[in-house]
Amino acid sequence: MLRLSATVLLAIVVGAVNSEIIVHPEHYERTSQFIRYGQNSTCFTLTPSNPVATFDYTTEIGGFPFFHGTPVSGAVQVEAKYSEAKGGLDEPFSDGPWTFSNGLSNTFRVETFNVTEAGRVESFFQQGGLRWQRLRLLNDDRKVTICGVGIRSFNDRTDVSELPGYFESSNPLYNEIWKLGARTVQQACIEKGTAPTTWELTADGVLLRGQQSAQSALGADFANYTMSFKTKIVRGGTGWRVATSPASFGPSFLLTSEYPGHSTFLNTNRTLVPPNTLAVGYGWNLVNQTSLPTGEVSYFPLGFSVTEGQWIDVSTRISTDGYIVTINDQKPVSVLLSELHLMSNDRFSSGSVYSGTWGFGPWQDQIAYVKDVVVQSKNGTTLYQNTMTDETILEEYGVMDNPASVCLDGAKRDRLIWSGDFAHAHRVVSASTHRPDFIRGTLSYLFERQELSGPMAGLFAMSPAMGQSAEYTSVYKSYGLLDYQMLLLNSFARYYLESADREFLTRWWPKARDGVDAILPLVDQYSGLAATSSLGAFFLGDGNGTAASALFAYTLTHMADLAEVMGEPDTSTQWKSTATNISRAVNQKLWNEDLGTYSSSLTSTNDSSYIGTAWAILSKTANSTQATSSIAALSPLRLGIGYKLSTDMDDSDPETNLSPNLSGFLLEALFAHIRDNPYDNATTEAINILLNGLWAAMVDQDEYYTGTSWEYVYPDGRPGLDLFTSHAHPWGGAPTYIFSEYILGVQPTAPGFGEWLFAPVVLDGLTWARGRVPTPRGSIQAEWEVHDGIRVVLRVRAPQGTKGVVGLSLPATGCRVTGDAHREYCSGKGVRVVVDGEWASIDVSLAKPIPQL
C-alpha cells in the first residue's frame, strides 16, 4: 500500500540565505570521451599537442569560474569558453556575447587568463548560467598544469528532491519536466548582495574591464553636446558611447591600443578590433546576435600609436553630419552618419542620432581607466562633470551591487527583472524552492519603480536591471508591454492568496491600486475590449483581441479580491463590473461560431491564437461549451512538437519559435478544463502534445540539456533563437507549478492556505503521484494511487488549523473515508470530501474507467 514517504514527510527549513558554494564539473574530456571529474584528484597538463580540456557541469550553474594553474615552462595564456549548449564552445564567441544589458556579469562568454605563477586563477566577472566550459592553452611552446576547475557560486544547488516543494509520479518524463522549473529558479533567482558591481572604483577613476557599456542616467535628455574624458588603457583598448539610450542602443566607439607584446593576448581578434584604430558600430554593440542585430563596424585607422599605460584625452562631439572624435589633440576623426550602418529601434533607441546619454565599457578582455568626464553644450556651457571616483557613479550608471533578492528572466541572459516573466517564475518558486523573500523582493523591486507623473503615471517598470536605482525609473522608460502590467498585478494578487501576508499587501496596496487605475483607460469605449494606446503594445497579441482582453478581465477579478481585503468594497465592485463587461465584450465580439473558437482580434476575425483560448478559459470568460470547442479548434495551430501562436503564422518556416512561456498558460488552461471534464479527448491530446513534445525536448536531448527550462523552441525540438536562447528561463517552467497544482492537485482556496483544495487530475498513463506543497503554515503532503483503473486512493496530511476539500470529478460508485474528514457526496458526478483536521484517506470506487491520456 502506498504511504506518505519519508521524503514527503521530511521537514524542510525554508527561506535560508544562500551561502557561497564551490561547484566542480561532473565530467571532463581531454581526448575522445568524457570521464568522471574528481574535484580533489583531477589534474592534467595542457600542451601544444593537446591544448584543450572540456568540462561538463551536467546541469545549469552560474558564478565565478576558477582553476588552479601551474605554468610548466614560463607564463602562459589560457582561453576559457562557457556555454549552455555544447555547440556554443565551437563558435568564436561561444554562445555570447550578451549585449542587451550589463547584467552585473560577464558580457562575454570567452575570456583569457594570463597565468604567470602557480595558484588560483579566478574570473573578475560572474558568468551567467552555463553547463559547459572549455579551457584552451594559447601558447605553442609552453605547458600548464590545471587542477581544481570549478565555479564559485551563490546560486542554490540543493538537490531537487530535498526542496520544500516536491513532485513525483509514475511517469519518469513528468518527473524530469517538473525538475526543470525548480532548477531554473535556483539559478535565475539572485540573492541580495551576491551580484557585485562590475565597475571598480579607484583613486585614478573607474577601472573597467571588457563589458557591455553602462550609461549615465543623467544624460538621457541631452543633445548636440561634446563629451570628453581621460582614459588610460591597461590592456587592449577602451570603449564609450554618446547619443545613446540608457538601454545602450546607439553608436558605440572603441579605441584600440598598439597591442604591445607584453600585454596583448594571443587570441586577440585583430580583424574585428585592429590595433591603433577607432572602431565605430551602431546598435547594441560590435557583434550581431540572433535577436540583437547591429550594423557593420566602421574602421578609422589612426596613423599614430595608442600607447598603453598613458593617460589619453578623448572627446566626442555630436555634429550635424555625425560624430567628431578627437584623441590627444590629434587630427579629429569624422564619423559621418552617411557612412554608419544606422538601425532603427523604436523601443530601445534614444529616438535621435543627435540625442541621448553617454556610457563606458571596453571590449572583450580589454581593461581601461576612465576619469574626468565632462559634457558641454554646443555653446560651451558645462552640463556635467564627474571625476568618476565616487561611489555615487554606481547608482548613476546603473551598476550597483544588486540591492534586493530578485528573480531574473534568465540565468544567462537577459539577467533583467522582467515583470511579465515573473508570472511563471513566482509560481515555480512557490511550488519548489519556496523562497518568499525572492517573491517579495521581486515584487517590491518592481513596485518601487512605478512612474509617478506624466502620461505613464502608475505604470511599473517592465524590465529594470539589478543595478539600477528606482530614483531613475522615468529615465529608463521601461513600460512598453502593457499586458506585463497585468501579469505583474496578477503575481501580487497570487502572492497574497498563497501567503496571507497582510503586512506586505498593506505596504504596496496604494501602488497596486494606482497600477490598476493606470491601465483601466485601456478599455476601448467602443469595443469594450482591451486596446493598445500611446502607452505601449501587448505582448500576447493585437489590441482589441481575445488574449489581452481576457487577461485584463482575469487581472481585475483577482485585484478586486484584494480591494475587498483592504476594505474598499466600492473599488472591488467597480473592478469586478469592468471585468464582467470585458468578458461579455469578448464573447459578443470575438467568439467565432464558424471557427469554433475566439478570433484573435477585431482586425483578425478569421484567425485564432492559443493564448486567446488560454486566457478565455483561465478568466472564465469561456463557458464549458466554449472551452471544449476552443480546445478542439487548436489542431490548425499544431506545428512540430507544439503549437504556433496564431493561425496566421507560416507553417513552412522551420525557424518559427514555439513559446514555452505562452504555452505554459495554455497548459494550465487545459488542466483546469480537464479537471472538470475528464473525458474530453481533445484536451488530453493537447496536453500530450505539450508535455510529450514541447517540454520533452528540454529533457531528452543531451547536446542541449541543461536540466532547466528553455526560452524558445523550434518546431523540430531544437532550442529556438539559436545560441542566443536562454536555456534557463523561468517563463518556460510552468509545468512545475501546474503538476503540483493539478496532477498532484493541491491549491490554495483561501489566503495563506487557510483553506485548500486537493483535486488531482487522474488520467490513464499515470498510476500514482505524490509530493509536498509548501505553505506559510507548513507543508501539505498529498498522494494518490490508481488500482486496476477503477479505484483511486487519495491521502493528504495538512498543517493544523487549516481546512481542505478533497475533490474528484470522476464518477464514483462508492467511497470509504478515514481520518479527520467527512464525505459530502460520492456519486455519479464525482467526489467531495471535507477535511476538518490534519489528515484524511479516501478510497474511491469509480463508475467507469479512468479516461485515456
Side-chain angles (χ1 to χ4, degrees):
M1 180 178 291
L2 184 65
R3 295 293 183 190
L4 290 167
S5 67
T7 300
V8 172
L9 291 170
L10 180 66
I12 306 288
V13 178
V14 301
V17 174
N18 289 343
S19 58
E20 176 183 304
I21 60 173
I22 300 299
V23 180
H24 294 280
E26 294 288 333
H27 302 90
Y28 77 108
E29 178 190 50
R30 289 284 287 125
T31 53
S32 60
Q33 63 180 2
F34 280 87
I35 58 176
R36 191 76 182 174
Y37 185 89
Q39 63 186 60
N40 297 318
S41 60
T42 299
C43 293
F44 51 84
T45 300
L46 299 180
T47 67
S49 61
N50 192 4
V52 174
T54 302
F55 305 90
D56 179 7
Y57 290 85
T58 306
T59 58
E60 187 94 359
I61 186 64
F64 296 90
F66 68 88
F67 62 87
H68 293 266
T70 303
V72 176
S73 51
V76 297
Q77 295 174 18
V78 177
E79 177 190 84
K81 282 188 176 183
Y82 314 96
S83 183
E84 287 184 316
K86 187 180 181 185
L89 299 177
D90 299 325
E91 299 298 322
F93 293 99
S94 194
D95 64 356
W98 309 124
T99 56
F100 191 60
S101 69
N102 182 276
L104 297 184
S105 64
N106 200 332
T107 300
F108 299 96
R109 302 287 270 181
V110 182
E111 62 180 336
T112 310
F113 299 100
N114 197 26
V115 185
T116 59
E117 60 184 8
R120 178 172 169 137
V121 179
E122 180 172 298
S123 176
F124 172 82
F125 292 106
Q126 287 199 61
Q127 276 293 337
L130 62 103
R131 173 184 167 180
W132 300 94
Q133 178 182 6
R134 180 172 291 171
L135 297 179
R136 179 169 71 98
L137 174 68
L138 299 179
N139 304 79
D140 59 9
D141 59 349
R142 298 176 186 177
K143 304 176 182 179
V144 61
T145 299
I146 302 291
C147 301
V149 176
I151 293 177
R152 183 170 61 90
S153 179
F154 292 92
N155 294 107
D156 186 6
R157 196 75 169 177
T158 303
D159 188 271
V160 173
S161 65
E162 298 177 2
L163 292 175
Y166 188 62
F167 168 89
E168 61 178 335
S169 73
S170 59
N171 188 324
L173 173 62
Y174 287 9
N175 299 340
E176 292 304 311
I177 290 174
W178 188 91
K179 295 174 184 177
L180 295 174
R183 291 198 193 97
T184 301
V185 295
Q186 284 181 305
Q187 301 307 312
C189 295
I190 308 298
E191 195 161 294
K192 176 181 179 179
T194 62
T197 179
T198 56
W199 284 26
E200 186 175 354
L201 296 175
T202 77
D204 280 338
V206 60
L207 181 62
L208 302 176
R209 294 162 174 83
Q211 59 190 280
Q212 180 68 356
S213 64
Q215 282 63 242
S216 169
L218 300 180
D221 297 326
F222 286 18
N224 299 312
Y225 56 80
T226 298
M227 191 274 288
S228 61
F229 63 99
K230 295 182 182 296
T231 186
K232 180 167 63 175
I233 298 174
V234 178
R235 181 176 61 233
T238 189
W240 69 97
R241 289 180 179 269
V242 297
T244 193
S245 70
S248 74
F249 185 92
S252 61
F253 303 83
L254 182 68
L255 173 65
T256 58
S257 75
E258 59 187 342
Y259 291 165
H262 69 277
S263 65
T264 304
F265 287 139
L266 296 170
N267 60 346
T268 299
N269 189 333
R270 294 170 182 259
T271 301
L272 179 65
V273 284
N276 294 319
T277 298
L278 177 67
V280 184
Y282 195 91
W284 295 104
N285 214 296
L286 302 183
V287 176
N288 279 328
Q289 284 293 340
T290 304
S291 63
L292 296 180
T294 192
E296 292 183 22
V297 182
S298 299
Y299 295 98
F300 303 89
L302 296 177
F304 59 87
S305 294
V306 179
T307 305
E308 294 183 1
Q310 297 182 5
W311 286 104
I312 302 169
D313 292 315
V314 178
S315 73
T316 306
R317 176 167 61 89
I318 302 171
S319 74
T320 303
D321 298 325
Y323 313 102
I324 311 300
V325 180
T326 304
I327 301 165
N328 276 347
D329 296 322
Q330 297 283 340
K331 180 181 178 180
V333 176
S334 295
V335 181
L336 301 178
L337 294 176
S338 59
E339 297 177 354
L340 282 180
H341 298 266
L342 301 177
M343 306 180 69
S344 62
N345 190 310
D346 293 338
R347 181 181 297 174
F348 296 109
S349 74
S350 65
S352 169
V353 293
Y354 306 110
S355 67
T357 189
W358 57 88
F360 302 96
W363 186 247
Q364 175 185 330
D365 286 330
Q366 295 180 346
I367 305 176
Y369 288 91
V370 169
K371 69 175 183 178
D372 298 338
V373 178
V374 178
V375 179
Q376 294 180 308
S377 67
K378 203 168 185 178
N379 65 9
T381 301
T382 298
L383 305 174
Y384 172 94
Q385 56 184 4
N386 198 318
T387 62
M388 305 296 282
T389 58
D390 189 272
E391 65 179 10
T392 58
I393 68 169
L394 303 181
E395 181 176 17
E396 177 190 337
Y397 286 82
V399 289
M400 298 184 295
D401 294 357
N402 68 307
S405 296
V406 293
C407 290
L408 308 178
D409 64 322
K412 175 176 69 175
R413 54 134 288 267
D414 304 325
R415 294 182 67 83
L416 299 173
I417 300 102
W418 281 90
S419 59
D421 300 25
F422 191 58
H424 289 304
H426 159 209
R427 294 177 69 180
V428 173
V429 168
S430 296
S432 58
T433 59
H434 192 58
R435 291 289 302 269
D437 55 328
F438 281 129
I439 298 172
R440 290 190 298 266
T442 304
L443 290 172
S444 298
Y445 199 82
L446 293 164
F447 276 25
E448 287 167 352
R449 287 154 178 79
Q450 184 180 47
E451 185 58 77
L452 301 179
S453 61
M456 302 289 183
L459 297 184
F460 301 101
M462 176 183 68
S463 56
M466 281 188 288
Q468 290 178 356
S469 170
E471 180 181 349
Y472 300 118
T473 294
S474 60
V475 173
Y476 295 113
K477 292 182 171 62
S478 171
Y479 313 110
L481 298 177
L482 298 173
D483 37 12
Y484 273 39
Q485 303 292 322
M486 303 174 196
L487 291 168
L488 173 60
L489 292 167
N490 286 339
S491 293
F492 182 63
R494 177 78 192 191
Y495 173 65
Y496 183 72
L497 176 62
E498 294 170 347
S499 68
D501 188 341
R502 184 64 179 263
E503 179 181 354
F504 189 82
L505 172 61
T506 301
R507 176 186 176 190
W508 294 113
W509 174 246
K511 286 186 174 290
R513 184 179 52 210
D514 289 347
V516 175
D517 289 342
I519 59 176
L520 281 174
L522 296 177
V523 179
D524 186 273
Q525 61 177 319
Y526 301 106
S527 69
L529 303 168
T532 56
S533 70
S534 59
L535 299 180
F538 294 130
F539 183 76
L540 300 182
D542 295 336
N544 281 305
T546 301
S549 298
L551 169 62
F552 203 175
Y554 180 97
T555 304
L556 290 173
T557 299
H558 288 82
M559 289 301 295
D561 292 339
L562 296 188
E564 286 283 355
V565 174
M566 292 304 298
E568 299 184 17
D570 292 344
T571 299
S572 178
T573 299
Q574 177 197 353
W575 291 352
K576 286 182 179 178
S577 176
T578 303
T580 299
N581 290 338
I582 294 173
S583 292
R584 183 183 300 115
V586 171
N587 280 322
Q588 289 177 346
K589 299 182 179 180
L590 292 172
W591 176 255
N592 189 319
E593 287 288 352
D594 293 334
L595 297 178
T597 187
Y598 291 92
S599 297
S600 293
S601 69
L602 291 180
T603 57
S604 300
T605 56
N606 292 322
D607 291 308
S608 64
S609 79
Y610 71 72
I611 192 61
T613 294
W615 281 111
I617 294 172
L618 292 172
S619 65
K620 296 182 170 57
T621 296
N623 59 34
S624 180
T625 300
Q626 289 171 316
T628 299
S629 177
S630 295
I631 292 169
L634 288 173
S635 55
L637 296 167
R638 179 71 189 275
L639 184 60
I641 62 168
Y643 293 103
K644 61 181 182 178
L645 179 59
S646 173
T647 53
D648 65 353
M649 294 177 67
D650 184 4
D651 281 354
S652 62
D653 185 358
E655 302 297 288
T656 296
N657 284 294
L658 308 181
S659 174
N661 169 25
L662 303 185
S663 295
F665 297 125
L666 175 61
L667 185 66
E668 182 177 13
L670 295 171
F671 270 102
H673 182 69
I674 198 71
R675 183 165 59 187
D676 296 326
N677 302 272
Y679 297 96
D680 186 339
N681 292 333
T683 304
T684 57
E685 178 185 0
I687 290 172
N688 264 324
I689 289 169
L690 291 175
L691 295 181
N692 295 313
L694 186 71
W695 271 283
M698 305 178 198
V699 170
D700 60 15
Q701 302 179 87
D702 187 60
E703 62 184 313
Y704 305 124
Y705 176 81
T706 51
T708 46
S709 54
W710 301 352
E711 181 184 19
Y712 285 105
V713 185
Y714 286 137
D716 64 1
R718 293 173 297 128
L721 297 181
D722 303 316
L723 288 173
F724 185 78
T725 285
S726 167
H727 289 241
H729 230 62
W731 81 359
T736 298
Y737 66 82
I738 292 171
F739 285 6
S740 294
E741 293 183 29
Y742 292 91
I743 294 181
L744 182 61
V746 177
Q747 295 176 320
T749 54
F753 283 85
E755 296 179 11
W756 45 265
L757 176 69
F758 174 30
V761 174
V762 181
L763 298 171
D764 188 51
L766 285 174
T767 57
W768 59 267
R770 64 188 176 210
R772 54 181 175 265
V773 174
T775 84
R777 306 161 185 259
S779 293
I780 296 175
Q781 297 123 22
E783 61 182 22
W784 55 263
E785 184 177 25
V786 175
H787 297 268
D788 302 322
I790 56 171
R791 179 170 156 253
V792 182
V793 178
L794 306 98
R795 298 187 183 90
V796 63
R797 182 177 294 276
Q800 188 174 10
T802 68
K803 181 178 180 179
V805 170
V806 179
L808 202 61
S809 59
L810 297 170
T813 60
C815 293
R816 183 164 60 89
V817 179
T818 57
D820 308 318
H822 66 273
R823 183 178 69 190
E824 290 200 346
Y825 60 78
C826 177
S827 63
K829 67 179 182 179
V831 177
R832 179 180 170 90
V833 173
V834 176
V835 181
D836 300 299
E838 294 184 45
W839 74 278
S841 176
I842 302 96
D843 192 330
V844 181
S845 297
L846 301 176
K848 55 192 297 189
I850 291 171
Q852 295 294 308
L853 177 61

